[in-house]
Amino acid sequence: MDAAAIEEMFQGLGPVTIKRMFGGKGIYHMGRIVAVEVRGEMLLKADERSASEFAAAGATQWTYEGKKGSPVKMPYWSIPDDAYDDPDVMARWVRLAYEAALRAE
């Protein structure tokens, strides 16, 4: 995903900064990481307060296999499908990600 597409995706939140990290990209708003792009997929930050909303919308949590073969859950979730077709819906999800980033501080 190029910078213009990422900026458009997050326009409901405001200006974002994009930094390369971990073979992907970190997306920041107001100095806080709100999303990561991993292997071409954008994942939004969530926490114990917002993760249930992501799950209820059909999003999946980013997990990877740890050193001992156990799954490691990361605080990032896929974007619900309906958000890609509606900027207002996307704005809601990216705001939830920013709220989770604020609570993480």
Side-chain angles (χ1 to χ4, degrees):
M1 187 172 281
D2 67 12
I6 292 171
E7 289 168 355
E8 181 178 338
M9 180 180 285
F10 287 87
Q11 70 184 354
L13 185 59
V16 294
T17 303
I18 303 162
K19 298 180 182 179
R20 292 208 172 276
M21 60 186 300
F22 310 122
K25 296 176 183 135
I27 315 305
Y28 296 79
H29 176 67
M30 304 288 290
R32 293 180 168 84
I33 189 163
V34 295
V36 293
E37 182 190 40
V38 179
R39 290 182 228 111
E41 182 179 15
M42 187 63 65
L43 303 163
L44 298 176
K45 188 170 190 69
D47 61 8
E48 26 184 73
R49 281 180 56 185
S50 60
S52 61
E53 290 185 61
F54 279 88
T60 56
Q61 187 172 14
W62 176 27
T63 61
Y64 68 90
E65 189 175 313
K67 292 181 182 181
K68 297 181 180 180
S70 301
V72 176
K73 294 182 178 184
M74 299 298 289
Y76 296 95
W77 289 72
S78 63
I79 298 173
D81 290 336
D82 63 341
Y84 289 102
D85 297 327
D86 187 332
D88 293 330
V89 174
M90 181 65 78
R92 176 181 177 272
W93 290 109
V94 298
R95 281 193 299 270
L96 279 175
Y98 181 61
E99 290 167 8
L102 287 173
R103 288 189 295 269
E105 292 297 317

